[in-house]
Amino acid sequence: MPTPAPYAVTEAVSQGRRFAEPPPEGRGEFQRDRDRIIHSTAFRRLEYKTQVFINHEGDLFRTRLTHSLEVAQLSRSMARALGLNEDLAEAVALAHDLGHTPFGHAGQDTLNECMKDYGGFEHNLQSLRIVDLLEERYAAFDGLNLTFETREGILKHCTLANARKLGDVGQRFLVGARPSLEAQLVNLADEIAYNNHDVDDGLRAGLITLEQLDEVAVFARCRREVEAQWPTVAGRRLIHETVRRMIGLMAADLVRQTAANLAAHQVETLADVRRAPTLAAYSEELRPQMREMKSFLYDNLYRHQRVVQTIDNARRIVIDLFDAYMSDPAQLPLQHQHRAQDDKARAIADYIAGMTDRWATKEHQRLCAGGEFC
Ligand code: MG
């Protein structure tokens, strides 16, 4: 591995784990974090959770799992280019969506509404809750006992009220400090990944067209480049060549601008990174184009009639499940019934959030087909 940049996170400057453990043999602390995430139950469930398209709509669409792998790939590449800690970036990327509910954002928004009188629900906070508390794999502690740096990377945003309850990882929100550059980079790798794969999936599903996408400057520019070089290319190859250029352009821009920001702010150490404004950023030129792409996808894909139809169904399922368990917690699996004795609504939210799309659908049929609970 190349020598890390002086502002990279290293084991020497790590704030360590909540429960002290002997150092790992034959791998580093951040590799251990990554390994623990990959072996977790929550990680395996990502395979059957919706990204944008409901899991059963087609085998070729992204799921939360393939999305997370794409984010990890982008994060590692950009971390290496900047001399950062690739293992940390990979660990944060693989864990960043662990807290997502079934049925994508519709599931999260609905569960948040169900939880409005009980502290709300937020997938980002839930990812942290999974790695800190909910995974049951180790004899000595709850959760995965990850390093501080992986945990702070998972917690991308947080209200001040929640930050006060979270101890060490909440601290930076209270004092206005930044997380590591690795964490900042993963945040934008997430955006690069979903903007591009949603274009690809949206075209594959026939919900958006190449003609519509020509309104989006960065797409039009990359498409023209492909067509200039390969005048006869069409169909899937044209789409892939265009999308891969967009990914390359965005990643290269981000690396270049971040390096320029590091120089401009004379960042020399990790402490400097935490004190400086957010350093991982696109160039002035690309920023409005990223916004344009995002709002295009919002208007034309995420709010497309066919996507919205699945949202209504997802909302119904989450609301019915929440109400059914609230009225009869004995319908929960035993371990969740135990948790429900302390905080019924939170235990139910944890259980629903952990479901895959198809498990939620099956459980909804079990509870509601006879009309007994719904
Ligand atoms: Mg994501």
Side-chain angles (χ1 to χ4, degrees), residues 151-166:
R151 295 171 59 236
E152 78 158 353
I154 292 172
L155 193 66
K156 281 187 286 198
H157 41 77
C158 177
T159 63
L160 290 182
N162 283 328
R164 281 187 205 100
K165 295 183 212 147
L166 287 172

Side-chain angles (χ1 to χ4, degrees), residues 51 64 67-68 71 93 96-97 100 123 156 190-191 194:
Q51 180 69 25
R64 289 259 165 229
H67 163 71
S68 299
V71 177
H96 87 283
D97 271 353
H100 265 289
H123 66 84
K156 281 187 286 198
D190 183 22
E191 188 175 279
Y194 68 66

